[in-house]
Amino acid sequence: MKAPTALLIACVVIGCGPILILPGGELTGTLTPYPNNWTFSDPVDTVQLETRSDDPYSVNVWGVGIGEHFYIAAGDASNAWVLRIAEDPDVRLKIGDSIFELRAVRTDREAEIDAFLAAVQKKYDFEPEPDQRSEATVFRLEPRVTTQ
């Protein structure tokens, strides 16, 4: 067995984060407070999203920071991570070594989606087709509300 194949199998078995398009398990890193502004994420193309803390499932996604919020989207509402968010909106986002504990809130607000799409186009030089826009599931990531 070649070394890269063995490494990939080992990571899947022990629950590493996602690798390319393969999902992973629990993300590791430094728990970081919610930032006032997400511009530090601008140079980072791919971030990692973890859903369901009771059965961690993580994926690589594109994301953009717009002011005080971070946004992610799925082109297919039947993606496993989208379905998991529907069950439990508490997520963890990894950027670099930082882990942010967040809540994913689906948005249908036209102005918010327009701002998200403009930011995606600027960051990734990607403009979705009209049908992709209507089928996209866009999430605004917010701080988790904790009750004391």
Side-chain angles (χ1 to χ4, degrees):
M1 183 178 310
K2 294 184 179 185
T5 305
L7 178 61
L8 178 63
I9 291 170
C11 281
V12 170
V13 169
I14 63 172
C16 296
I19 300 172
L20 301 174
I21 62 170
L22 298 175
E26 183 176 5
L27 298 175
T28 60
T30 304
L31 193 57
T32 306
Y34 191 88
N36 293 329
N37 189 301
W38 290 90
T39 55
F40 71 91
S41 69
D42 290 350
V44 180
D45 284 340
T46 304
V47 299
Q48 296 176 323
L49 179 75
E50 176 190 310
T51 59
R52 280 205 351 220
S53 61
D54 63 333
D55 181 20
Y57 178 88
S58 58
V59 292
N60 289 318
V61 296
W62 282 359
V64 294
I66 303 172
E68 65 185 39
H69 296 296
F70 196 83
Y71 292 84
I72 57 173
D76 183 352
S78 67
N79 281 344
W81 64 268
V82 174
L83 298 174
R84 286 171 171 250
I85 287 173
E87 294 172 5
D88 179 0
D90 286 346
V91 299
R92 294 182 350 132
L93 182 72
K94 183 174 183 178
I95 301 175
D97 187 52
S98 296
I99 301 277
F100 302 93
E101 292 187 330
L102 307 167
R103 177 160 288 237
V105 177
R106 184 174 180 180
T107 182
D108 292 325
R109 291 182 25 209
E110 193 75 23
E112 202 168 15
I113 292 172
D114 288 345
F116 165 76
L117 292 173
V120 165
Q121 184 174 4
K122 179 180 178 185
K123 182 173 181 175
Y124 298 103
D125 193 29
F126 171 80
E127 186 170 356
E129 299 294 324
D131 63 325
Q132 290 175 312
R133 176 190 165 94
S134 63
E135 294 173 9
T137 304
V138 179
F139 293 98
R140 177 182 59 249
L141 303 183
E142 301 179 344
R144 289 187 192 173
V145 177
T146 57
T147 54
Q148 301 274 332

